[in-house]
Coordinates of all heavy atoms in Angstrom, one line a residue:
L1 N -18.5 38.9 13.7 CA -17.8 39.5 14.8 C -16.5 40.1 14.3 O -16.0 41.2 14.7 CB -17.5 38.6 15.9 CG -18.6 38.6 17.1 CD1 -18.2 37.6 18.1 CD2 -18.7 40.0 17.7
N2 N -15.8 39.4 13.3 CA -14.6 39.9 12.8 C -14.8 41.3 12.2 O -14.0 42.3 12.5 CB -14.1 39.0 11.7 CG -12.7 39.3 11.2 OD1 -12.4 39.3 10.0 ND2 -11.7 39.4 12.1
N3 N -15.8 41.5 11.4 CA -16.1 42.8 10.8 C -16.6 43.8 11.9 O -16.2 45.0 11.8 CB -17.3 42.6 9.8 CG -17.0 41.6 8.8 OD1 -16.8 40.4 9.1 ND2 -16.9 42.0 7.5
I4 N -17.4 43.4 12.8 CA -17.9 44.3 13.9 C -16.7 44.8 14.7 O -16.7 46.0 15.0 CB -18.9 43.6 14.7 CG1 -20.2 43.4 13.9 CG2 -19.3 44.4 16.0 CD1 -21.2 42.4 14.5
L5 N -15.8 44.0 15.1 CA -14.7 44.4 15.9 C -13.8 45.4 15.1 O -13.3 46.4 15.7 CB -13.8 43.2 16.3 CG -14.4 42.3 17.4 CD1 -13.6 41.0 17.6 CD2 -14.6 43.0 18.7
A6 N -13.7 45.2 13.8 CA -12.9 46.2 13.0 C -13.7 47.5 13.0 O -13.1 48.6 13.1 CB -12.7 45.6 11.6
K7 N -15.0 47.5 12.8 CA -15.8 48.7 12.7 C -15.7 49.4 14.0 O -15.6 50.7 14.1 CB -17.2 48.3 12.4 CG -18.1 49.5 12.0 CD -17.8 50.0 10.6 CE -18.8 51.0 10.1 NZ -18.4 51.4 8.7
M8 N -15.8 48.7 15.2 CA -15.7 49.4 16.5 C -14.3 50.1 16.6 O -14.3 51.2 17.1 CB -15.9 48.3 17.6 CG -17.3 47.8 17.7 SD -17.5 46.5 18.9 CE -16.9 47.3 20.4
E9 N -13.3 49.4 16.2 CA -12.0 50.0 16.3 C -11.8 51.3 15.5 O -11.2 52.3 15.9 CB -10.9 49.0 15.9 CG -9.5 49.5 16.2 CD -8.4 48.5 15.9 OE1 -8.7 47.3 15.9 OE2 -7.2 48.9 15.7
S10 N -12.5 51.2 14.3 CA -12.4 52.4 13.4 C -13.1 53.6 14.1 O -12.6 54.7 14.0 CB -13.0 52.1 12.1 OG -14.4 52.0 12.1
Y11 N -14.2 53.4 14.8 CA -15.0 54.4 15.4 C -14.1 55.0 16.6 O -14.1 56.2 16.8 CB -16.3 53.9 15.9 CG -17.3 53.7 14.9 CD1 -18.4 52.8 15.0 CD2 -17.3 54.4 13.6 CE1 -19.3 52.6 14.1 CE2 -18.2 54.2 12.7 CZ -19.2 53.2 12.9 OH -20.2 53.0 11.9
H12 N -13.5 54.1 17.4 CA -12.7 54.5 18.5 C -11.5 55.4 18.0 O -11.1 56.3 18.7 CB -12.1 53.3 19.2 CG -13.2 52.5 20.0 ND1 -14.2 53.1 20.7 CD2 -13.3 51.2 20.2 CE1 -15.0 52.2 21.2 NE2 -14.5 51.0 21.0
K13 N -11.1 55.1 16.8 CA -9.9 55.9 16.2 C -10.4 57.1 15.4 O -9.6 57.8 14.8 CB -9.1 55.0 15.4 CG -8.3 53.9 16.1 CD -7.5 53.1 15.2 CE -6.6 52.1 15.9 NZ -5.8 51.2 15.0
G14 N -11.7 57.3 15.4 CA -12.2 58.5 14.7 C -12.4 58.3 13.2 O -12.5 59.3 12.5
G15 N -12.5 57.1 12.7 CA -12.6 56.9 11.3 C -14.1 56.6 10.8 O -14.9 56.2 11.7
D16 N -14.4 56.8 9.6 CA -15.7 56.5 9.0 C -15.7 55.0 8.7 O -16.8 54.4 8.7 CB -15.9 57.3 7.7 CG -15.9 58.8 8.0 OD1 -16.7 59.2 8.9 OD2 -15.2 59.5 7.3
E17 N -14.6 54.4 8.3 CA -14.5 53.0 7.9 C -13.2 52.4 8.3 O -12.2 53.1 8.5 CB -14.7 52.9 6.4 CG -14.6 51.5 5.8 CD -15.6 50.5 6.4 OE1 -15.5 50.3 7.6 OE2 -16.4 49.9 5.6
A18 N -13.2 51.1 8.5 CA -12.0 50.3 8.9 C -11.4 49.8 7.6 O -12.1 49.4 6.7 CB -12.4 49.2 9.8
I19 N -10.1 49.7 7.6 CA -9.4 49.0 6.6 C -8.7 47.8 7.2 O -7.9 48.0 8.1 CB -8.4 49.9 5.8 CG1 -9.1 51.0 5.1 CG2 -7.5 49.1 4.9 CD1 -8.2 52.0 4.4
I20 N -9.0 46.6 6.8 CA -8.6 45.4 7.4 C -7.5 44.7 6.6 O -7.7 44.6 5.3 CB -9.8 44.4 7.6 CG1 -10.9 45.1 8.3 CG2 -9.3 43.2 8.4 CD1 -12.2 44.3 8.4
F21 N -6.5 44.2 7.2 CA -5.4 43.4 6.6 C -5.6 41.9 7.0 O -6.3 41.6 8.0 CB -4.0 43.9 6.9 CG -3.7 45.2 6.3 CD1 -4.2 46.4 6.7 CD2 -2.8 45.2 5.2 CE1 -3.9 47.6 6.1 CE2 -2.5 46.4 4.5 CZ -3.0 47.6 5.0
D22 N -5.0 41.0 6.2 CA -5.1 39.6 6.6 C -3.9 39.2 7.5 O -3.0 40.1 7.8 CB -5.3 38.7 5.4 CG -4.1 38.6 4.5 OD1 -3.0 39.1 4.9 OD2 -4.2 38.1 3.4
T23 N -3.8 38.0 7.9 CA -2.8 37.5 8.8 C -1.4 37.5 8.1 O -0.4 37.3 8.8 CB -3.1 36.2 9.4 OG1 -3.3 35.2 8.3 CG2 -4.3 36.2 10.3
N24 N -1.4 37.6 6.8 CA -0.1 37.7 6.1 C 0.4 39.1 5.8 O 1.4 39.3 5.1 CB -0.2 36.9 4.7 CG -0.5 35.4 4.9 OD1 0.3 34.8 5.7 ND2 -1.5 34.9 4.3
G25 N -0.4 40.1 6.2 CA -0.1 41.5 6.0 C -0.6 42.1 4.7 O -0.2 43.2 4.3
Y26 N -1.4 41.3 4.0 CA -2.0 41.8 2.7 C -3.3 42.6 3.0 O -4.1 42.2 3.9 CB -2.3 40.7 1.8 CG -1.0 40.0 1.3 CD1 -0.9 38.6 1.4 CD2 0.0 40.6 0.7 CE1 0.2 37.9 0.9 CE2 1.2 40.0 0.3 CZ 1.3 38.6 0.4 OH 2.4 37.9 0.0
L27 N -3.6 43.6 2.2 CA -4.8 44.3 2.3 C -6.0 43.3 2.0 O -6.0 42.6 1.0 CB -4.8 45.4 1.2 CG -6.0 46.3 1.1 CD1 -6.3 47.0 2.5 CD2 -5.9 47.3 0.0
S28 N -7.0 43.4 2.8 CA -8.2 42.5 2.7 C -9.4 43.3 2.2 O -9.7 43.3 1.0 CB -8.5 41.8 4.0 OG -9.7 41.1 3.9
E29 N -10.0 44.0 3.1 CA -11.3 44.8 2.7 C -11.6 45.7 3.8 O -10.9 45.8 4.9 CB -12.4 43.8 2.5 CG -12.7 42.9 3.6 CD -13.8 41.8 3.3 OE1 -14.5 42.0 2.3 OE2 -13.9 40.8 4.1
G30 N -12.7 46.4 3.7 CA -13.3 47.2 4.7 C -14.2 46.4 5.6 O -14.3 45.2 5.4
S31 N -14.8 47.0 6.6 CA -15.7 46.2 7.5 C -16.9 45.7 6.7 O -17.5 44.8 7.2 CB -16.1 47.1 8.7 OG -16.9 48.2 8.3

């Protein structure tokens, strides 16, 4: 679900892919 929610948000914002950060503000990964 963590990945799916990120993917959904990327679509709502018009993106092909989501870029996810962690809770410390560091770059994590895509969906």
Side-chain angles (χ1 to χ4, degrees):
L1 265 179
N2 189 229
N3 306 63
I4 290 168
L5 290 173
K7 193 73 169 179
M8 289 173 62
E9 186 175 337
S10 74
Y11 288 153
H12 291 321
K13 291 180 174 178
D16 300 308
E17 177 56 301
I19 295 178
I20 308 171
F21 286 77
D22 67 13
T23 54
N24 295 309
Y26 295 128
L27 180 62
S28 173
E29 59 186 342
S31 66

